[in-house]
Amino acid sequence: MRISVIGCGYLGAVHAACMAKLGHEVVGIDIDESKVLALSSAEAPFYEPGLEDLLREVQSTGRLTFTTDMSAASNSQVHFVCVGTPQKKGENGADLTFVDASMTALLPYLSAGDVVVGKSTVPVGTAARVSEWVEQRQPSAHLVWNPEFLREGHAVSDTLHPDRLVYGVSDGSEDHPAVAILDKVYSAPLTSGTPRLVTDLPTAELVKAAANSFLATKISFINAMAEVCEAAGADVTQLADAIGMDDRIGRKFLNAGIGFGGGCLPKDIRAFMARAGELGADQALTFLREVDAINMRRRTRVVELARDLCDGSRLGKRITVLGAAFKPESDDVRDSPALSIAAQLQLQGAVVTVTDPKALANAARRFPELHYEADTARAVQNADALLLLTEWQEYRDLDPYETAVAVSSLRVLDGRNVLDSSKWRAAGWSYRGLGRP
Ligand code: UGA
């Protein structure tokens, strides 16, 4: 099929490459010329495992091109809208500027029977509003809301092998003409057994908000348990293992630590609360305020623990922060708890060095005042304390005996509970985990 993908960020660039991999002819459209230039030469403008290899592979087939020119969409029958919906400045709600601008720019190029597919995470009600624009412009075109559930760091495989597909259509019916067209787009994953659900537009929008809210709640739940474990002298990692064995609960997303960050979970729960308030259903989501508060408390807690670890004072202490990205296998530092903790420590007088395998350039743009060191061995040199804040494999694999030779004091704070505490303690380290004795 001929497909356009509008917005080539973390979501759209991957989606465009994966659609081409599935055999479609794809044009990726973005207003950012440097992004288009990079993608056109098969370079990913951000780090995502497997993406550059995939770009090279599909571009050699001639099925994938990139442009800044929206008129290129006129050759396509299906148009995926993959632009960002960041948090509004100074407010909880989502900023829909990019969705509205890209939809408006696309409208003149729609032909009869085209399908516009929204993938961005939007407040419920957005799809109904945009579908009116589409209908007014091209009465036989359709708007579908098809939320995306990919995780950064696994984006390519999540897109090629999604665990479910949700199509929101105006009448919520399997017989809606857009359903058959989307089935053709996704024929490969559907053939290999991916379940797909057809819903109405608001349900599809809410599925995404609800899924991310549930994940955020699960993380904050275990972090709340970590607080109680700390007070009671219990171990939250064992607690998570034990409750996770109940398959109604499940062990995934029960890793206590410095909390969630990134470009999705934090802003999505806030936008969801804001939207529920507009709809008069704010009481239903007040618990998300607590989820957010528990999450933000983790950051403060680590700053306090770092002080305790450094004998009561951060002033002049050389602290090395291992990890800047909001999660491993990503260079994304949007709302990264690791980076936010590093910046707070620096403000409180510590001398902070931050290291990360991929995210240093983005981190330096966000917090230019911090000191960055790409080489782990150099970053830990003479440190008074190590803080493991993003669980890259390289940091999980650090050898406590070898590392002991490089640092000034044997102190480590494991913000993700991924180090073997007994091994580090046996090597002479003063070890602190979160929610662990
Ligand atoms: C999240 C969702 O998992 C995706 O399903 C969704 O499509 C995406 O948002 C989105 O809305 O686009 P992502 O932001 O890539 O994906 O990251 P997650 O893997 O969900 O991790 C989010 C944060 O939670 C990270 O900071 C991670 O370190 C933290 N986390 C995760 C924990 O603190 N504990 C856990 O047990 C799991």
Side-chain angles (χ1 to χ4, degrees):
M1 302 199 70
R2 296 166 85 91
I3 290 176
S4 75
V5 176
I6 295 141
C8 296
Y10 284 98
L11 164 59
V14 174
H15 194 69
C18 290
M19 290 301 105
K21 168 81 180 170
L22 295 182
H24 306 299
E25 202 158 303
V26 183
V27 57
I29 304 172
D30 199 290
I31 51 174
D32 181 341
E33 209 158 320
S34 63
K35 218 177 258 177
V36 165
L37 269 175
L39 287 164
S40 301
S41 356
E43 279 166 29
F46 50 85
Y47 176 68
E48 181 60 47
L51 179 58
E52 285 203 342
D53 288 343
L54 181 63
L55 284 168
R56 266 193 296 276
E57 180 194 328
V58 289
Q59 276 183 8
S60 65
T61 65
R63 287 199 305 268
L64 178 62
T65 54
F66 292 94
T67 177
T68 53
D69 182 3
M70 186 61 94
S71 71
S74 57
N75 298 321
S76 303
Q77 184 190 2
V78 179
H79 312 273
F80 284 99
V81 176
C82 297
V83 295
T85 51
Q87 187 174 340
K88 275 187 199 157
K89 287 201 169 67
E91 279 179 59
N92 270 350
D95 179 352
L96 294 179
T97 311
F98 302 118
V99 171
D100 289 357
S102 55
M103 290 284 184
T104 311
L106 171 66
L107 291 176
Y109 303 106
L110 291 183
S111 308
D114 278 10
V115 180
V116 180
V117 190
K119 286 199 92 59
S120 308
T121 303
V122 291
V124 58
T126 306
R129 181 168 61 83
V130 172
S131 78
E132 278 178 27
W133 302 353
V134 171
E135 260 168 48
Q136 270 165 20
R137 175 77 207 185
Q138 187 52 262
S140 66
H142 309 283
L143 180 95
V144 181
W145 217 265
N146 171 221
E148 178 55 57
F149 306 107
L150 68 78
R151 299 158 298 166
E152 285 177 32
H154 304 267
V156 172
S157 65
D158 283 353
T159 308
L160 292 173
H161 314 284
D163 50 15
R164 78 283 207 194
L165 289 161
V166 176
Y167 308 168
V169 292
S170 54
D171 59 3
S173 144
E174 289 267 344
D175 303 325
H176 190 286
V179 171
I181 296 172
L182 265 195
D183 278 353
K184 258 197 198 171
V185 171
Y186 291 123
S187 86
L190 288 172
T191 308
S192 53
T194 300
R196 75 103 163 97
L197 279 101
V198 177
T199 70
D200 55 24
L201 291 171
T203 305
E205 292 167 304
L206 283 174
V207 165
K208 172 68 189 208
N212 275 2
S213 297
F214 191 86
L215 294 172
T217 304
K218 208 169 171 191
I219 299 168
S220 277
F221 173 83
I222 202 64
N223 281 328
M225 293 305 110
E227 290 184 17
V228 180
C229 283
E230 266 165 39
D235 187 331
V236 75
T237 56
Q238 289 183 324
L239 180 140
D241 289 343
I243 63 171
M245 283 169 192
D246 180 334
D247 63 10
R248 292 170 304 173
I249 296 174
R251 180 63 178 82
K252 287 181 186 161
F253 269 67
L254 281 185
N255 295 321
I258 62 172
F260 59 81
C264 302
L265 261 43
K267 64 108 177 149
D268 286 353
I269 60 168
R270 292 174 194 152
F272 198 20
M273 284 186 271
R275 185 64 184 136
E278 287 167 6
L279 294 168
D282 43 344
Q283 263 194 328
L285 297 187
T286 44
F287 75 95
L288 286 179
R289 220 178 295 163
E290 202 50 46
V291 166
D292 203 358
I294 294 166
N295 193 50
M296 297 318 269
R297 263 204 313 270
R298 300 315 289 163
R299 303 180 184 190
T300 324
R301 178 74 186 130
V302 171
V303 174
E304 280 166 10
L305 280 176
R307 185 197 51 211
D308 295 353
L309 196 65
C310 293
D311 304 327
S313 168
R314 289 167 288 239
L315 213 60
K317 291 283 172 15
R318 288 181 303 269
I319 293 182
T320 297
V321 168
L322 302 168
F326 84 103
K327 66 190 274 195
E329 297 303 330
S330 171
D331 65 355
D332 194 348
V333 298
R334 287 176 293 170
D335 204 358
S336 162
L339 210 45
S340 142
I341 290 164
Q344 284 180 57
L345 286 167
Q346 170 102 347
L347 279 175
Q348 295 181 13
V351 181
V352 179
T353 297
V354 179
T355 187
D356 190 284
K358 297 286 177 194
L360 288 192
N362 286 341
R365 267 192 289 275
R366 200 82 153 198
F367 289 104
E369 64 275 26
L370 291 169
H371 174 237
Y372 297 99
E373 170 56 63
D375 181 73
T376 313
R378 272 205 296 273
V380 302
Q381 204 73 46
N382 296 325
D384 293 315
L386 303 183
L387 269 53
L388 193 166
L389 299 186
T390 312
E391 68 278 33
W392 287 92
Q393 194 60 43
E394 183 186 339
Y395 307 146
R396 291 169 174 255
D397 292 343
L398 277 177
D399 182 87
Y401 293 94
E402 279 172 21
T403 314
V405 182
V407 298
S408 253
S409 305
L410 305 191
R411 301 171 178 136
V412 63
L413 196 161
D414 181 3
R416 299 290 187 168
N417 291 335
V418 289
L419 299 177
D420 180 342
S421 55
S422 45
K423 196 169 149 195
W424 281 73
R425 284 188 178 125
W429 288 78
S430 167
Y431 170 95
R432 279 306 304 253
L434 294 186
R436 303 175 86 181

